[in-house]
């Protein structure tokens, strides 16, 4: 892929156990999760559904909930780079598919309008809709020479919430809801697999070769598709994810990935996919590589997953010792066919802020 070197100059994040990026990093390191009973949604056996959600009773399931999540993540990022608000910028808004259960209508227009009030320098908004790996698609487009501009910064914001009852019931119907109860014969059984539905938003602020404010560099990025999806009987062998990972690692020019970040969420499908993928990547990983699983702290963040995980890695790299060479491989699977792999790295002698 012919692409422009892109730096992450700031990031933001919000989810229940990590309402800011700094606190989200603490939650990730300590595996602090805030899993609660949903305020009124129950499974088919009448038991409360367990989710990771903000507890404010004033938040409903309309556009307002999504707007607040998105706005808080943006403000978190701008606290680290307040100058970015007034610079000429393009906003890339990542939302779940409009036909997914529980996604409010007219969501993109309302969120884009509310975010632009905090970004007086924003002159263009692009909306992408998809699943967990869709954030990688946005960054891939940003890095293309024909779309890239040294006169703009790019702000990628992803937001998602599984808290609407229709979304939770869809997950239960698909057998993807962790801890839901089902009746087999005369026995009640709990699903030991599946995801803990979460909610949150994340932001990356990107610029070209901006070493003065750099947190880290996007050293490699690739997107592919997977043909075996979660609702099929065949096991997923991770062919699409492996292809993306190898391409991203090749672009980064590394055989020493120090951190592996995944969005494994408790589903056997994902376990198969990552197991086969990591076994093929074994020679490209550092002997003492560190595994990071943000979903253990955040719950499943849907289409905000890839950007949230990249934000957490960027924060880690920003704070890492300047003499410690690190490269984070972020693997993103999805409910749909999209797959993404991203390598973020620091550089010797980078400027810390």
């Amino acid at each position: 892929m012919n692409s422009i070197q892109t730096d992450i100059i700031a990031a933001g994040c919000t989810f229940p156990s990590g309402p800011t990026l700094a606190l989200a990093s603490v939650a990730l390191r300590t595996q602090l999760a805030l899993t609660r009973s949903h305020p009124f949604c129950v499974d088919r056996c009448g038991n409360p559904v367990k989710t990771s959600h903000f507890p404010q009773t004033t938040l409903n399931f309309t556009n307002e909930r999504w707007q607040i999540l998105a706005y808080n993540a943006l403000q978190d990022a701008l606290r680290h780079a307040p100058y970015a608000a007034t610079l000429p910028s393009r906003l890339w808004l990542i939302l779940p598919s409009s036909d997914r259960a529980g996604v409010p209508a007219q969501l993109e227009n309302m969120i884009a309008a509310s975010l632009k009030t905090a970004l007086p320098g924003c002159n263009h908004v692009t909306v992408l809709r998809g699943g967990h790996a869709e954030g990688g698609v946005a960054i891939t487009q940003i890095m293309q020479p024909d779309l890239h501009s040294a006169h703009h910064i790019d702000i990628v914001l992803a937001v998602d919430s599984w808290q609407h009852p229709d979304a939770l019931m869809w997950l239960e119907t698909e057998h993807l809801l962790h801890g839901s109860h089902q009746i087999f014969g005369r026995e009640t059984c709990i699903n030991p697999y599946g995801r803990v539905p979460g909610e949150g938003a994340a932001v990356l602020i990107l610029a070209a070769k901006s070493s003065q404010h750099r947190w880290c560099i996007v050293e490699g990025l690739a997107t592919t598709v997977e043909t075996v999806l979660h609702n099929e009987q065949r096991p997923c062998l991770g062919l699409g994810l492996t292809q993306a990972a190898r391409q991203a690692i090749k672009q980064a020019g590394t055989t020493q990935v120090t951190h592996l970040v995944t969005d494994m969420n408790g589903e056997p499908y994902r376990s198969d996919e990552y197991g086969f993928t990591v076994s093929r990547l074994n020679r490209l990983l550092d002997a003492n590589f560190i595994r990071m699983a943000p979903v253990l702290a955040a719950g499943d963040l849907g289409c905000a997953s890839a950007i949230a995980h990249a934000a957490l890695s960027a924060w880690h790299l920003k704070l890492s010792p300047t003499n410690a060479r690190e490269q984070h491989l972020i693997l993103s699977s999805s409910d749909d066919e999209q797959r993404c792999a991203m390598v973020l790295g620091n550089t010797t002698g980078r400027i810390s802020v």
Side-chain angles (χ1 to χ4, degrees):
M1 178 182 72
N2 295 322
S3 60
I4 302 296
Q5 176 181 309
T6 300
D7 296 342
I8 296 176
I9 62 173
C13 185
T14 186
F15 53 77
S17 64
T20 66
L21 182 55
L23 292 176
S25 179
V26 173
L28 173 59
R29 294 197 305 272
T30 60
Q31 295 187 3
L32 172 63
L34 294 182
T35 303
R36 306 175 172 93
S37 295
H38 194 274
F40 56 82
C41 191
V42 297
D43 62 24
R44 67 191 66 189
C45 295
N47 296 285
V49 172
K50 299 292 187 181
T51 70
S52 177
H53 64 273
F54 286 95
Q56 285 83 351
T57 57
T58 56
L59 289 178
N60 53 36
F61 299 106
T62 63
N63 292 332
E64 180 189 15
R65 189 180 198 97
W66 300 67
Q67 286 177 295
I68 292 173
L69 291 171
Y71 188 82
N72 286 349
L74 178 61
Q75 290 301 314
D76 186 38
L78 293 178
R79 276 193 289 269
H80 301 295
Y83 58 88
T86 56
L87 291 177
S89 63
R90 298 177 297 188
L91 175 63
W92 302 74
L93 183 58
I94 314 299
L95 300 173
S97 299
S98 57
D99 59 354
R100 197 188 80 186
V103 177
Q106 303 299 319
L107 184 62
E108 58 188 69
N109 294 332
M110 295 191 68
I111 291 183
S114 65
L115 294 179
K116 288 189 71 174
T117 62
L119 296 171
C122 179
N123 52 38
H124 186 74
V125 179
T126 300
V127 178
L128 285 78
R129 287 185 173 268
H132 298 69
E134 193 67 23
V137 176
I139 301 175
T140 300
Q141 294 182 17
I142 290 169
M143 294 175 66
Q144 295 302 312
D146 56 339
L147 285 181
H148 193 87
S149 171
H151 303 293
H152 289 82
I153 60 170
D154 288 281
I155 300 173
V156 184
L157 188 151
V159 57
D160 205 340
S161 174
W162 289 103
Q163 304 309 309
H164 194 285
D166 289 348
L168 296 175
M169 292 303 96
W170 177 83
L171 290 174
E172 185 182 34
T173 301
E174 295 292 314
H175 306 290
L176 299 175
L177 185 59
H178 178 75
S180 65
H181 295 69
Q182 298 183 22
I183 297 176
F184 292 94
R186 297 184 178 180
E187 300 292 330
T188 299
C189 301
I190 298 177
N191 180 10
Y193 306 109
R195 71 189 65 170
V196 175
E199 64 178 347
V203 175
L204 294 178
I205 302 180
L206 307 170
K209 298 182 180 179
S210 180
S211 59
Q212 183 179 359
H213 303 289
R214 175 191 300 157
W215 284 18
C216 62
I217 301 173
V218 181
E219 297 185 347
L221 176 65
T223 59
T224 57
V225 296
E226 174 59 58
T227 58
V228 181
L229 304 183
H230 73 88
N231 54 1
E232 299 187 33
Q233 296 298 317
R234 296 177 293 166
C236 181
L237 303 181
L239 298 180
L241 194 59
T242 300
Q243 181 184 1
R246 284 176 171 166
Q247 291 177 8
I249 291 172
K250 183 177 180 181
Q251 291 171 26
T254 182
T255 57
Q256 299 294 318
V257 170
T258 58
H259 293 70
L260 178 64
V261 185
T262 74
D263 59 1
M264 287 185 65
N265 61 0
E267 298 168 11
Y269 170 88
R270 295 277 183 98
S271 298
D272 290 341
E273 183 177 25
Y274 282 111
F276 285 111
T277 298
V278 175
S279 67
R280 298 188 191 100
L281 300 177
N282 185 54
R283 294 183 180 180
L284 301 175
L285 303 176
D286 184 83
N288 298 310
F289 77 93
I290 297 172
R291 295 177 177 87
M292 300 168 66
V295 71
L296 295 176
D300 189 281
L301 293 178
C303 74
S305 296
I307 301 302
H309 299 173
L312 286 162
S313 282
W315 178 259
H316 181 103
L317 290 164
K318 171 184 181 290
L319 299 180
S320 64
T322 55
N323 60 348
R325 176 65 169 146
E326 292 187 9
Q327 288 179 306
H328 292 212
L329 173 61
I330 302 167
L331 298 179
S332 299
S333 180
S334 188
D335 294 333
D336 61 18
E337 72 280 358
Q338 192 68 59
R339 299 293 181 268
C340 173
M342 189 185 321
V343 177
L344 303 185
N346 57 9
T347 57
T348 303
R350 77 190 191 290
I351 297 175
S352 299
V353 293

